[in-house]
Amino acid sequence: MLKLQQVAPAGEIVEYDRQHLSLYAQLIDAADAKVDWQVGTVEILGFDPSFDEDAARRCWDTHVARARWIVGNGLPSAVKAFGKSIR
């Protein structure tokens, strides 16, 4: 299992993004299906909000936003970056 950061990266495409593409797809599907963020955080991110609700919400929000950016405005950068080695 890949290590999940509490806050998704921002800015340029990084290796973390390549490693978490399937997670990003699951997050977009869940968000579009209006899955409750607390349920999604547990089932998709493996982060239990009962331990730290603010951190869990931040994790959910930043990863969903990153996923949407990758398939939206970040798509040209992602396509270019995923075709070569990323550090």
Side-chain angles (χ1 to χ4, degrees):
M1 178 161 212
L2 296 171
K3 180 153 174 57
L4 183 70
Q5 296 176 2
Q6 282 193 3
V7 175
E12 290 182 34
I13 300 295
V14 294
E15 182 62 28
Y16 183 90
D17 296 316
R18 183 194 319 251
Q19 293 172 352
H20 290 83
L21 281 176
S22 64
L23 176 91
Y24 290 160
Q26 291 175 57
L27 290 170
I28 290 171
D29 287 346
D32 288 350
K34 307 271 191 264
V35 169
D36 179 83
W37 75 268
Q38 292 175 321
V39 172
T41 300
V42 170
E43 293 181 1
I44 300 170
L45 300 177
F47 197 127
D48 186 349
S50 67
F51 291 111
D52 187 340
E53 187 172 327
D54 291 337
R57 183 62 194 238
R58 191 170 39 257
C59 185
W60 174 262
D61 288 344
T62 63
H63 280 83
V64 169
R66 184 63 170 187
R68 292 201 185 280
W69 177 80
I70 294 254
V71 299
N73 292 337
L75 189 58
S77 296
V79 168
K80 183 177 178 183
F82 295 155
K84 63 181 180 181
S85 177
I86 302 174
R87 294 186 185 253

